Amino acid sequence: MTAVLTVAMPKGRIFEEAADMLREAGYPLPPEFEDNRKLIVEAPEAGMRFILAKPMDVPVYVEQGVADVGIAGKDVMIEEERDVYEVLDLKISTCYLAVAGLPGGIKDKVAPKVATKYPEAASKYFREQGEQVEVIKLNGSIELAPLIGLADRIVDIVSSGRTLKENGLVEYEKIMDITSRLIVNPASYRLYSDTIHTLVERLRKVTDSKEAAR
Amino acid sequence: MPKPFVFEKPAGMRDKLPLFFQASEQIKQQLLNKISVWGYQMVQTPTLEYFDTVGEASAISDQQLFKLLDMEGSTLVLRPDMTAPIARVVSSSMKQVAYPLRLSYSAPVFRAQQREGGRPAEFEQVGVELIGDGTLSAEAEVLALMSDVLKETGIQRFTITIGHIGFVQELFIEILGNAERAEELRRFLFEKNYVGYANFVKNMPLSSIDSARLLKLLECRGGEDALLKAMELAGTEKAKKAVSDLMQLKKILGDYGAEETVNFDFTLLSHMSYYTGIVFEGYAAGIGSPIAGGGRYDDLLSRFERSAPAIGFAVRLDYVMEAIGQMPDTSSRTCILYSGERREEALRIAAEKRSSGTPAVTQDITGVENVDTFTNRFTDVIYLIGKTQGEETK
């Protein structure tokens, strides 16, 4: 059975790479897809309907079943811990989660503070390290925190390292590699199994051929 | 901690308002009727159980249990599922009743929710347990009944996916050699993280054949072909038997006329850790979580000292209602609005209607502030007002 799949796409960083990838996998997306301000985009030729969401919200839409599949960064998956299938590593938007701070190391050893957009991931990491820290959640411009003395370290994603450098920060430790994943709602995964597995296999071919070319 | 508002409820608790309650009771009754014509007998167990017995056996994670202390200081739990309480009943009050036992229930269960308040912490389950029968026929019966029950809800499109925990466990132990590593790998499947599973397998010091076998497990899904693929992976007699059992099960389901609704997926692991053999979940279009689920649990009864193979399923009534959607209010309700002079007449008419089974409300008009908004709620209104004889109907 062929079903129209609802796909939750993250706006921003991952979006264009993900759209290119779907095209490479043979899904004809409308040309105006990228510069659209609409939140819902129909792509009947691809048998898909797209919803454009904040990256952090993609797993929510998928878990709740209003989107059948979605594309989400591993960083978001760790932070959100949603009940969805993580079926394929798309190997796009490669970056990593790292601890960074001012050069010269950690000054405040009494009550160390860590600022981050990823409180769950950060708490988990420091717990594993056996280190006691206070995690402060920020929603953006994390690099500001050590500069202004809010925290002496930050946990954030690093792709080129430029943002860190421009703000005079250095990386202390790498926590983990991050790539984007194809995620699937558990019920959709069973009900539209054929359509979804076709999508997975086609995308897998694209990632594999890219891997081979590298 | 702030004091709750007077109208607040604890996180995850819900009220059922009249219209929804009526619809939900009606569906529940339909499902129970279906279950009862299959010869399953209803039991009821207490809402509170000991943590040390049912709480421990239930396999719902500790932080999801609602706990309280009784007068003696023993820890009690609000029952988080019905399977463990029924296992307790079967091993105690029903100890003398010979196996196999076919029991059913309809009851709210309680699971505390850590994440936002969206998910209900109390929800109703309708289900069955078939205890003391280890045959494939018993498995097929329970699956066919679940399929029948889901059909009964009127849900247009649903599917039942069957997995086999015993097979997965056997395969992992055979290839990985020890239970800890098998547990680690199982965790990825349980978390539905195929990417993590594949990476873990690739990083293990395994022969290329074994690592390919583990990766192939992810492809064992679908109909007959899933079973054939799984058979190729099976290395031990036990694993082979698990697959050939499933083939036989598929055949029996065919005899029930229920094979259309089922498929197989060997990566399906349920969160209920007491399952030992087949596990299954039912899904409906538009509902993100399984609307029903169950499996074989051959070790649970031995915790209650009446060891026996057993199998059961539970349907989540709240998700079923969600899948059905809004129900129209079809019930007819009559209101007899009267003034004091004609009370006797009003009560007589109401009594007649009630004795014929029609719901009738009698309302003294002086007790109503706004007659129009009040009478709008009824399909039929009879006015018996003033001294004049004869009635007026709206």
Side-chain angles (χ1 to χ4, degrees), chain A residues 1 60 63-65 74 79-89 181 185-187 189-193 197 201, chain B residues 115-116 119 157-159 161 191-196 199 218 221 263 265 267-268 283-289:
Chain A
M1 142 146 195
V60 183
E63 183 189 47
Q64 294 291 321
K74 185 67 187 171
E79 197 55 33
E80 290 285 306
E81 284 189 343
R82 296 284 166 172
D83 187 25
V84 295
Y85 278 98
E86 189 178 321
V87 291
L88 184 66
D89 185 349
R181 310 293 162 96
N185 171 270
Y189 187 69
R190 314 291 178 193
L191 285 165
Y192 313 117
S193 140
H197 286 124
E201 285 320 309
Chain B
R115 298 192 73 92
E116 74 236 42
R119 302 248 163 186
R157 193 169 145 69
F158 70 87
T159 187
T161 300
E191 286 170 353
K192 306 188 171 71
N193 182 356
Y194 293 171
V195 175
N199 288 341
L218 299 181
R221 53 159 192 266
N263 59 44
D265 186 338
T267 63
L268 180 75
Y283 307 92
I287 305 299
S289 311

Tab-separated table of all heavy atoms in Angstrom, chain A residues 1 60 63-65 74 79-89 181 185-187 189-193 197 201, chain B residues 115-116 119 157-159 161 191-196 199 218 221 263 265 267-268 283-289:
chain	number	residue	atom	x	y	z
A	1	MET	N	0.851	-1.208	0.000
A	1	MET	CA	0.000	0.000	0.000
A	1	MET	C	0.875	1.243	0.000
A	1	MET	O	1.846	1.366	0.734
A	1	MET	CB	-0.892	-0.080	1.229
A	1	MET	CG	-1.137	1.245	1.910
A	1	MET	SD	-2.781	1.299	2.604
A	1	MET	CE	-2.933	3.043	2.887
A	60	VAL	N	9.235	15.409	18.545
A	60	VAL	CA	7.926	15.514	19.189
A	60	VAL	C	6.824	15.214	18.177
A	60	VAL	O	5.919	14.422	18.433
A	60	VAL	CB	7.711	16.929	19.776
A	60	VAL	CG1	6.374	16.999	20.494
A	60	VAL	CG2	8.841	17.285	20.714
A	63	GLU	N	6.985	11.489	17.411
A	63	GLU	CA	6.518	10.632	18.499
A	63	GLU	C	4.997	10.663	18.610
A	63	GLU	O	4.341	9.646	18.809
A	63	GLU	CB	7.123	11.064	19.838
A	63	GLU	CG	6.720	10.141	20.986
A	63	GLU	CD	7.124	10.664	22.350
A	63	GLU	OE1	6.878	11.860	22.629
A	63	GLU	OE2	7.680	9.901	23.141
A	64	GLN	N	4.435	11.854	18.448
A	64	GLN	CA	2.996	12.003	18.581
A	64	GLN	C	2.233	11.429	17.392
A	64	GLN	O	1.014	11.311	17.419
A	64	GLN	CB	2.629	13.481	18.760
A	64	GLN	CG	3.134	14.074	20.063
A	64	GLN	CD	2.413	13.494	21.276
A	64	GLN	OE1	1.213	13.262	21.247
A	64	GLN	NE2	3.155	13.217	22.337
A	65	GLY	N	2.956	11.134	16.312
A	65	GLY	CA	2.323	10.485	15.176
A	65	GLY	C	1.706	11.430	14.163
A	65	GLY	O	1.082	10.985	13.211
A	74	LYS	N	21.360	13.904	16.023
A	74	LYS	CA	21.545	13.019	17.174
A	74	LYS	C	21.542	13.833	18.475
A	74	LYS	O	21.102	13.353	19.515
A	74	LYS	CB	22.860	12.246	17.015
A	74	LYS	CG	23.111	11.207	18.089
A	74	LYS	CD	22.124	10.054	18.034
A	74	LYS	CE	22.298	9.114	19.225
A	74	LYS	NZ	21.222	8.122	19.297
A	79	GLU	N	18.830	14.676	23.643
A	79	GLU	CA	18.215	15.633	24.542
A	79	GLU	C	16.746	15.315	24.792
A	79	GLU	O	16.250	15.451	25.898
A	79	GLU	CB	18.362	17.032	23.923
A	79	GLU	CG	18.141	18.168	24.859
A	79	GLU	CD	19.010	18.124	26.101
A	79	GLU	OE1	20.155	17.639	26.032
A	79	GLU	OE2	18.530	18.558	27.160
A	80	GLU	N	16.050	14.865	23.761
A	80	GLU	CA	14.606	14.699	23.862
A	80	GLU	C	14.164	13.311	24.319
A	80	GLU	O	13.090	13.163	24.868
A	80	GLU	CB	13.954	15.013	22.506
A	80	GLU	CG	14.021	16.487	22.146
A	80	GLU	CD	13.007	17.295	22.955
A	80	GLU	OE1	11.826	16.940	22.928
A	80	GLU	OE2	13.418	18.249	23.625
A	81	GLU	N	14.980	12.301	24.052
A	81	GLU	CA	14.629	10.918	24.438
A	81	GLU	C	13.198	10.539	24.097
A	81	GLU	O	12.417	10.134	24.952
A	81	GLU	CB	14.852	10.722	25.934
A	81	GLU	CG	16.313	10.577	26.276
A	81	GLU	CD	16.533	10.173	27.729
A	81	GLU	OE1	15.605	10.318	28.533
A	81	GLU	OE2	17.642	9.725	28.042
A	82	ARG	N	12.836	10.693	22.857
A	82	ARG	CA	11.471	10.389	22.439
A	82	ARG	C	11.346	8.939	22.009
A	82	ARG	O	12.324	8.327	21.585
A	82	ARG	CB	11.070	11.297	21.275
A	82	ARG	CG	11.034	12.755	21.652
A	82	ARG	CD	9.803	13.044	22.458
A	82	ARG	NE	9.905	14.346	23.105
A	82	ARG	CZ	8.890	14.905	23.759
A	82	ARG	NH1	7.740	14.280	23.853
A	82	ARG	NH2	9.037	16.061	24.327
A	83	ASP	N	10.115	8.433	22.069
A	83	ASP	CA	9.880	7.040	21.719
A	83	ASP	C	9.655	6.907	20.206
A	83	ASP	O	8.518	6.855	19.741
A	83	ASP	CB	8.664	6.528	22.490
A	83	ASP	CG	8.448	5.042	22.304
A	83	ASP	OD1	9.430	4.332	22.001
A	83	ASP	OD2	7.303	4.596	22.447
A	84	VAL	N	10.745	6.923	19.459
A	84	VAL	CA	10.665	6.808	17.996
A	84	VAL	C	11.766	5.867	17.521
A	84	VAL	O	12.735	5.632	18.234
A	84	VAL	CB	10.859	8.185	17.301
A	84	VAL	CG1	9.731	9.123	17.642
A	84	VAL	CG2	12.204	8.804	17.648
A	85	TYR	N	11.590	5.320	16.324
A	85	TYR	CA	12.631	4.493	15.741
A	85	TYR	C	13.695	5.377	15.107
A	85	TYR	O	13.374	6.311	14.386
A	85	TYR	CB	12.049	3.575	14.663
A	85	TYR	CG	11.423	2.346	15.230
A	85	TYR	CD1	10.055	2.268	15.416
A	85	TYR	CD2	12.210	1.259	15.598
A	85	TYR	CE1	9.476	1.134	15.957
A	85	TYR	CE2	11.640	0.128	16.142
A	85	TYR	CZ	10.271	0.066	16.318
A	85	TYR	OH	9.710	-1.055	16.862
A	86	GLU	N	14.949	5.043	15.391
A	86	GLU	CA	16.050	5.752	14.753
A	86	GLU	C	16.599	4.767	13.732
A	86	GLU	O	17.334	3.849	14.066
A	86	GLU	CB	17.076	6.077	15.838
A	86	GLU	CG	18.166	6.997	15.396
A	86	GLU	CD	19.107	7.305	16.560
A	86	GLU	OE1	18.634	7.474	17.698
A	86	GLU	OE2	20.309	7.363	16.321
A	87	VAL	N	16.199	4.916	12.457
A	87	VAL	CA	16.449	3.835	11.512
A	87	VAL	C	17.692	4.002	10.651
A	87	VAL	O	18.248	3.034	10.170
A	87	VAL	CB	15.235	3.569	10.590
A	87	VAL	CG1	14.090	2.983	11.386
A	87	VAL	CG2	14.793	4.818	9.877
A	88	LEU	N	18.108	5.250	10.418
A	88	LEU	CA	19.219	5.427	9.493
A	88	LEU	C	20.059	6.639	9.859
A	88	LEU	O	19.531	7.698	10.187
A	88	LEU	CB	18.660	5.590	8.065
A	88	LEU	CG	19.666	5.699	6.924
A	88	LEU	CD1	20.444	4.404	6.763
A	88	LEU	CD2	18.946	6.039	5.631
A	89	ASP	N	21.377	6.449	9.793
A	89	ASP	CA	22.297	7.561	9.977
A	89	ASP	C	22.485	8.210	8.613
A	89	ASP	O	23.051	7.603	7.708
A	89	ASP	CB	23.632	7.030	10.511
A	89	ASP	CG	24.586	8.153	10.847
A	89	ASP	OD1	24.299	9.317	10.482
A	89	ASP	OD2	25.620	7.876	11.479
A	181	ARG	N	19.731	11.938	11.725
A	181	ARG	CA	19.142	10.604	11.660
A	181	ARG	C	17.747	10.669	11.046
A	181	ARG	O	17.038	11.666	11.189
A	181	ARG	CB	19.019	10.004	13.073
A	181	ARG	CG	20.302	10.071	13.889
A	181	ARG	CD	21.372	9.170	13.291
A	181	ARG	NE	22.711	9.487	13.739
A	181	ARG	CZ	23.328	8.883	14.745
A	181	ARG	NH1	22.704	7.963	15.422
A	181	ARG	NH2	24.563	9.218	15.062
A	185	ASN	N	7.950	7.125	13.383
A	185	ASN	CA	6.953	6.852	14.416
A	185	ASN	C	6.676	5.345	14.500
A	185	ASN	O	6.537	4.695	13.465
A	185	ASN	CB	5.664	7.605	14.079
A	185	ASN	CG	4.523	7.216	14.983
A	185	ASN	OD1	3.766	6.294	14.700
A	185	ASN	ND2	4.415	7.902	16.091
A	186	PRO	N	6.602	4.782	15.723
A	186	PRO	CA	6.446	3.337	15.854
A	186	PRO	C	5.204	2.765	15.149
A	186	PRO	O	5.274	1.690	14.559
A	186	PRO	CB	6.339	3.122	17.365
A	186	PRO	CG	7.021	4.286	17.957
A	186	PRO	CD	6.804	5.439	17.021
A	187	ALA	N	4.084	3.470	15.209
A	187	ALA	CA	2.873	2.938	14.563
A	187	ALA	C	2.992	3.052	13.040
A	187	ALA	O	2.678	2.107	12.314
A	187	ALA	CB	1.641	3.668	15.065
A	189	TYR	N	5.613	3.019	11.381
A	189	TYR	CA	6.634	2.066	10.962
A	189	TYR	C	6.014	0.719	10.632
A	189	TYR	O	6.482	0.012	9.738
A	189	TYR	CB	7.667	1.922	12.094
A	189	TYR	CG	8.863	1.102	11.742
A	189	TYR	CD1	9.795	1.580	10.825
A	189	TYR	CD2	9.084	-0.142	12.320
A	189	TYR	CE1	10.906	0.827	10.492
A	189	TYR	CE2	10.194	-0.892	11.989
A	189	TYR	CZ	11.099	-0.407	11.072
A	189	TYR	OH	12.189	-1.154	10.742
A	190	ARG	N	4.968	0.349	11.340
A	190	ARG	CA	4.293	-0.924	11.058
A	190	ARG	C	3.213	-0.767	10.009
A	190	ARG	O	3.021	-1.631	9.178
A	190	ARG	CB	3.623	-1.464	12.320
A	190	ARG	CG	4.473	-1.425	13.549
A	190	ARG	CD	5.621	-2.405	13.485
A	190	ARG	NE	6.433	-2.290	14.680
A	190	ARG	CZ	7.624	-2.828	14.805
A	190	ARG	NH1	8.161	-3.500	13.823
A	190	ARG	NH2	8.289	-2.677	15.923
A	191	LEU	N	2.475	0.344	10.095
A	191	LEU	CA	1.312	0.478	9.207
A	191	LEU	C	1.706	0.799	7.773
A	191	LEU	O	1.069	0.354	6.833
A	191	LEU	CB	0.375	1.569	9.738
A	191	LEU	CG	-0.455	1.171	10.956
A	191	LEU	CD1	-1.041	2.401	11.616
A	191	LEU	CD2	-1.573	0.222	10.553
A	192	TYR	N	2.725	1.621	7.589
A	192	TYR	CA	3.149	1.990	6.231
A	192	TYR	C	4.524	1.411	5.973
A	192	TYR	O	5.389	2.062	5.386
A	192	TYR	CB	3.133	3.510	6.061
A	192	TYR	CG	1.862	4.115	6.588
A	192	TYR	CD1	1.881	5.011	7.645
A	192	TYR	CD2	0.626	3.743	6.047
A	192	TYR	CE1	0.701	5.527	8.152
A	192	TYR	CE2	-0.548	4.247	6.546
A	192	TYR	CZ	-0.507	5.141	7.604
A	192	TYR	OH	-1.678	5.639	8.114
A	193	SER	N	4.698	0.204	6.407
A	193	SER	CA	6.001	-0.428	6.409
A	193	SER	C	6.668	-0.421	5.022
A	193	SER	O	7.839	-0.084	4.899
A	193	SER	CB	5.812	-1.819	7.001
A	193	SER	OG	6.552	-2.762	6.337
A	197	HIS	N	10.058	1.580	4.209
A	197	HIS	CA	11.293	0.852	3.917
A	197	HIS	C	11.864	1.202	2.557
A	197	HIS	O	13.076	1.209	2.380
A	197	HIS	CB	11.082	-0.647	4.091
A	197	HIS	CG	11.008	-1.015	5.528
A	197	HIS	ND1	9.948	-1.679	6.083
A	197	HIS	CD2	11.854	-0.739	6.551
A	197	HIS	CE1	10.148	-1.804	7.385
A	197	HIS	NE2	11.294	-1.242	7.692
A	201	GLU	N	15.620	2.487	2.225
A	201	GLU	CA	16.587	1.848	1.335
A	201	GLU	C	17.158	2.833	0.316
A	201	GLU	O	18.342	2.840	0.030
A	201	GLU	CB	15.967	0.630	0.638
A	201	GLU	CG	15.834	-0.582	1.553
A	201	GLU	CD	17.040	-0.774	2.489
A	201	GLU	OE1	18.193	-0.778	1.985
A	201	GLU	OE2	16.850	-0.898	3.715
B	115	ARG	N	7.966	12.789	32.046
B	115	ARG	CA	7.974	13.899	31.094
B	115	ARG	C	6.691	14.692	31.238
B	115	ARG	O	5.795	14.326	31.977
B	115	ARG	CB	8.144	13.379	29.676
B	115	ARG	CG	9.459	12.661	29.465
B	115	ARG	CD	9.684	12.429	27.997
B	115	ARG	NE	10.038	13.654	27.315
B	115	ARG	CZ	11.293	14.056	27.124
B	115	ARG	NH1	12.297	13.340	27.566
B	115	ARG	NH2	11.544	15.162	26.495
B	116	GLU	N	6.584	15.761	30.458
B	116	GLU	CA	5.448	16.682	30.534
B	116	GLU	C	4.109	15.969	30.778
B	116	GLU	O	3.967	14.784	30.548
B	116	GLU	CB	5.359	17.492	29.246
B	116	GLU	CG	4.825	16.670	28.087
B	116	GLU	CD	5.756	16.660	26.901
B	116	GLU	OE1	6.963	16.540	27.099
B	116	GLU	OE2	5.265	16.785	25.795
B	119	ARG	N	1.085	12.707	28.694
B	119	ARG	CA	0.707	11.305	28.710
B	119	ARG	C	-0.082	10.969	29.972
B	119	ARG	O	0.289	11.406	31.045
B	119	ARG	CB	1.961	10.432	28.653
B	119	ARG	CG	2.796	10.703	27.444
B	119	ARG	CD	2.776	9.528	26.513
B	119	ARG	NE	3.244	9.910	25.195
B	119	ARG	CZ	3.230	9.108	24.148
B	119	ARG	NH1	2.782	7.889	24.277
B	119	ARG	NH2	3.641	9.515	22.984
B	157	ARG	N	-8.277	0.778	10.168
B	157	ARG	CA	-7.038	0.176	9.737
B	157	ARG	C	-6.156	-0.095	10.946
B	157	ARG	O	-5.737	0.838	11.637
B	157	ARG	CB	-6.333	1.155	8.792
B	157	ARG	CG	-5.195	0.541	8.017
B	157	ARG	CD	-4.745	1.508	6.929
B	157	ARG	NE	-3.312	1.428	6.735
B	157	ARG	CZ	-2.695	0.372	6.214
B	157	ARG	NH1	-3.363	-0.668	5.846
B	157	ARG	NH2	-1.381	0.381	6.066
B	158	PHE	N	-5.932	-1.353	11.213
B	158	PHE	CA	-4.998	-1.680	12.302
B	158	PHE	C	-4.151	-2.864	11.875
B	158	PHE	O	-4.500	-3.608	10.946
B	158	PHE	CB	-5.749	-1.991	13.606
B	158	PHE	CG	-6.513	-3.275	13.598
B	158	PHE	CD1	-5.905	-4.467	13.951
B	158	PHE	CD2	-7.849	-3.302	13.227
B	158	PHE	CE1	-6.606	-5.662	13.940
B	158	PHE	CE2	-8.562	-4.496	13.210
B	158	PHE	CZ	-7.942	-5.685	13.559
B	159	THR	N	-3.024	-3.010	12.512
B	159	THR	CA	-2.166	-4.138	12.201
B	159	THR	C	-1.540	-4.652	13.494
B	159	THR	O	-1.359	-3.890	14.445
B	159	THR	CB	-1.100	-3.735	11.155
B	159	THR	OG1	-0.391	-4.890	10.768
B	159	THR	CG2	-0.131	-2.723	11.710
B	161	THR	N	1.785	-6.586	14.982
B	161	THR	CA	3.144	-7.023	14.677
B	161	THR	C	3.619	-7.985	15.760
B	161	THR	O	3.457	-7.705	16.951
B	161	THR	CB	4.079	-5.805	14.577
B	161	THR	OG1	3.586	-4.963	13.538
B	161	THR	CG2	5.491	-6.228	14.253
B	191	GLU	N	15.363	0.469	22.710
B	191	GLU	CA	15.287	1.922	22.528
B	191	GLU	C	14.970	2.295	21.091
B	191	GLU	O	14.989	3.461	20.726
B	191	GLU	CB	16.598	2.584	22.975
B	191	GLU	CG	16.745	2.611	24.472
B	191	GLU	CD	18.131	3.032	24.946
B	191	GLU	OE1	19.045	3.184	24.091
B	191	GLU	OE2	18.302	3.200	26.162
B	192	LYS	N	14.735	1.314	20.246
B	192	LYS	CA	14.384	1.510	18.838
B	192	LYS	C	15.502	2.221	18.074
B	192	LYS	O	15.265	2.941	17.113
B	192	LYS	CB	13.080	2.294	18.702
B	192	LYS	CG	11.925	1.681	19.470
B	192	LYS	CD	10.641	2.397	19.129
B	192	LYS	CE	9.416	1.715	19.675
B	192	LYS	NZ	9.261	1.809	21.126
B	193	ASN	N	16.724	2.055	18.544
B	193	ASN	CA	17.853	2.746	17.941
B	193	ASN	C	18.627	1.782	17.030
B	193	ASN	O	19.590	1.148	17.437
B	193	ASN	CB	18.735	3.291	19.068
B	193	ASN	CG	19.916	4.073	18.547
B	193	ASN	OD1	20.136	4.156	17.331
B	193	ASN	ND2	20.672	4.661	19.453
B	194	TYR	N	18.209	1.688	15.772
B	194	TYR	CA	18.852	0.788	14.824
B	194	TYR	C	20.247	1.274	14.445
B	194	TYR	O	21.134	0.487	14.167
B	194	TYR	CB	18.018	0.650	13.544
B	194	TYR	CG	16.695	-0.043	13.736
B	194	TYR	CD1	15.762	-0.077	12.712
B	194	TYR	CD2	16.386	-0.673	14.933
B	194	TYR	CE1	14.534	-0.722	12.881
B	194	TYR	CE2	15.177	-1.305	15.113
B	194	TYR	CZ	14.251	-1.328	14.082
B	194	TYR	OH	13.060	-1.956	14.250
B	195	VAL	N	20.395	2.604	14.411
B	195	VAL	CA	21.701	3.168	14.072
B	195	VAL	C	22.729	2.757	15.124
B	195	VAL	O	23.819	2.273	14.801
B	195	VAL	CB	21.613	4.711	13.951
B	195	VAL	CG1	22.988	5.306	13.721
B	195	VAL	CG2	20.647	5.094	12.836
B	196	GLY	N	22.340	2.910	16.385
B	196	GLY	CA	23.230	2.533	17.482
B	196	GLY	C	23.519	1.037	17.466
B	196	GLY	O	24.647	0.601	17.702
B	199	ASN	N	26.012	0.302	14.677
B	199	ASN	CA	27.359	0.767	15.042
B	199	ASN	C	27.991	-0.138	16.091
B	199	ASN	O	29.174	-0.463	16.008
B	199	ASN	CB	27.310	2.205	15.573
B	199	ASN	CG	27.038	3.194	14.462
B	199	ASN	OD1	27.235	2.886	13.273
B	199	ASN	ND2	26.555	4.371	14.819
B	218	LEU	N	17.888	-6.968	11.616
B	218	LEU	CA	17.098	-5.754	11.392
B	218	LEU	C	16.186	-5.883	10.175
B	218	LEU	O	15.227	-5.136	10.027
B	218	LEU	CB	18.011	-4.533	11.205
B	218	LEU	CG	18.928	-4.166	12.357
B	218	LEU	CD1	19.748	-2.933	12.016
B	218	LEU	CD2	18.128	-3.903	13.627
B	221	ARG	N	11.561	-8.733	8.906
B	221	ARG	CA	10.226	-8.174	9.153
B	221	ARG	C	9.372	-8.390	7.919
B	221	ARG	O	9.879	-8.540	6.809
B	221	ARG	CB	10.342	-6.676	9.458
B	221	ARG	CG	11.113	-5.964	8.412
B	221	ARG	CD	10.928	-4.510	8.293
B	221	ARG	NE	11.571	-4.157	7.038
B	221	ARG	CZ	12.815	-3.740	6.929
B	221	ARG	NH1	13.568	-3.578	7.988
B	221	ARG	NH2	13.320	-3.483	5.750
B	263	ASN	N	1.683	-9.287	11.027
B	263	ASN	CA	2.976	-9.429	10.361
B	263	ASN	C	4.041	-9.640	11.432
B	263	ASN	O	3.736	-9.623	12.621
B	263	ASN	CB	3.267	-8.218	9.473
B	263	ASN	CG	3.282	-6.934	10.248
B	263	ASN	OD1	3.849	-6.856	11.335
B	263	ASN	ND2	2.650	-5.899	9.719
B	265	ASP	N	8.076	-8.977	13.029
B	265	ASP	CA	9.253	-8.121	13.089
B	265	ASP	C	10.068	-8.573	14.302
B	265	ASP	O	9.628	-8.418	15.440
B	265	ASP	CB	8.845	-6.651	13.232
B	265	ASP	CG	10.053	-5.735	13.153
B	265	ASP	OD1	11.185	-6.211	13.411
B	265	ASP	OD2	9.884	-4.551	12.832
B	267	THR	N	12.672	-7.379	15.519
B	267	THR	CA	13.298	-6.349	16.349
B	267	THR	C	12.330	-5.832	17.403
B	267	THR	O	12.684	-4.999	18.221
B	267	THR	CB	13.763	-5.156	15.506
B	267	THR	OG1	12.617	-4.548	14.893
B	267	THR	CG2	14.727	-5.594	14.424
B	268	LEU	N	11.091	-6.303	17.359
B	268	LEU	CA	10.103	-5.828	18.317
B	268	LEU	C	10.376	-6.412	19.703
B	268	LEU	O	10.320	-7.624	19.899
B	268	LEU	CB	8.687	-6.215	17.870
B	268	LEU	CG	7.568	-5.771	18.800
B	268	LEU	CD1	7.319	-4.288	18.657
B	268	LEU	CD2	6.298	-6.547	18.551
B	283	TYR	N	-1.325	-1.711	16.222
B	283	TYR	CA	-1.219	-0.291	15.872
B	283	TYR	C	-2.426	0.137	15.056
B	283	TYR	O	-2.933	-0.626	14.246
B	283	TYR	CB	0.024	-0.036	15.035
B	283	TYR	CG	1.290	-0.543	15.644
B	283	TYR	CD1	1.746	-1.816	15.349
B	283	TYR	CD2	2.012	0.242	16.523
B	283	TYR	CE1	2.905	-2.298	15.923
B	283	TYR	CE2	3.164	-0.225	17.107
B	283	TYR	CZ	3.610	-1.502	16.800
B	283	TYR	OH	4.752	-1.975	17.375
B	284	ALA	N	-2.855	1.374	15.257
B	284	ALA	CA	-3.946	1.928	14.453
B	284	ALA	C	-3.464	3.195	13.774
B	284	ALA	O	-2.625	3.913	14.326
B	284	ALA	CB	-5.136	2.240	15.338
B	285	ALA	N	-3.990	3.449	12.578
B	285	ALA	CA	-3.592	4.637	11.827
B	285	ALA	C	-3.873	5.888	12.656
B	285	ALA	O	-4.933	6.014	13.259
B	285	ALA	CB	-4.351	4.690	10.515
B	286	GLY	N	-2.907	6.788	12.684
B	286	GLY	CA	-3.098	8.075	13.341
B	286	GLY	C	-2.793	8.079	14.830
B	286	GLY	O	-2.788	9.128	15.456
B	287	ILE	N	-2.585	6.918	15.427
B	287	ILE	CA	-2.256	6.879	16.858
B	287	ILE	C	-0.788	6.493	16.981
B	287	ILE	O	-0.375	5.417	16.543
B	287	ILE	CB	-3.130	5.860	17.610
B	287	ILE	CG1	-4.614	6.139	17.371
B	287	ILE	CG2	-2.807	5.867	19.102
B	287	ILE	CD1	-5.086	7.486	17.833
B	288	GLY	N	-0.010	7.395	17.575
B	288	GLY	CA	1.441	7.225	17.595
B	288	GLY	C	1.940	6.039	18.402
B	288	GLY	O	2.992	5.491	18.116
B	289	SER	N	1.207	5.626	19.420
B	289	SER	CA	1.673	4.534	20.274
B	289	SER	C	0.819	3.300	20.035
B	289	SER	O	-0.294	3.409	19.544
B	289	SER	CB	1.552	4.945	21.734
B	289	SER	OG	2.119	6.212	21.925
